[in-house]
């Protein structure tokens, strides 16, 4: 992240705790609230999967039609 900052890149993050390095230095950071302290990692990873899915299926970002959306 230090290298990214030094070259002017933007940093985004999804984290399970608000006191970590990523939460402090990221330009945009989603902090997943702790529902159960025993499941911080799985809850955070599930939100990562949702965000990833939203990104890869966004119509403006898709390069090719997906099979279930194609009319061919």
């Amino acid at each position: 992240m230090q290298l990214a900052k030094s070259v002017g890149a933007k940093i985004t993050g999804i984290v399970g705790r608000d006191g970590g390095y990523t939460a402090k230095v990221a330009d945009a950071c989603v902090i997943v609230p702790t529902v159960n302290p025993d499941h911080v990692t799985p809850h955070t990873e599930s939100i990562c999967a949702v965000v990833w899915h939203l990104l890869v299926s966004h119509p403006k970002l898709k390069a090719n039609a997906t099979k279930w959306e194609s009319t061919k």
Side-chain angles (χ1 to χ4, degrees):
M1 285 187 267
Q2 290 173 345
L3 176 60
K5 284 282 190 187
S6 73
V7 298
K10 298 292 184 187
I11 299 172
T12 59
I14 301 173
V15 298
R17 294 186 175 87
D18 61 359
Y21 185 73
T22 301
K24 292 177 184 174
V25 302
D27 297 290
C29 189
V30 175
I31 301 170
V32 180
T34 300
V35 176
N36 180 336
D38 294 332
H39 298 113
V40 171
T41 299
H43 288 164
T44 304
E45 289 177 353
S46 66
I47 295 299
C48 288
V50 170
V51 172
W52 172 81
H53 178 74
L54 292 170
L55 287 172
V56 301
S57 62
H58 192 284
K60 290 185 178 180
L61 300 176
K62 288 172 41 175
N64 299 307
T66 50
K67 290 180 182 178
W68 57 87
E69 294 171 348
S70 177
T71 58
K72 294 179 182 178

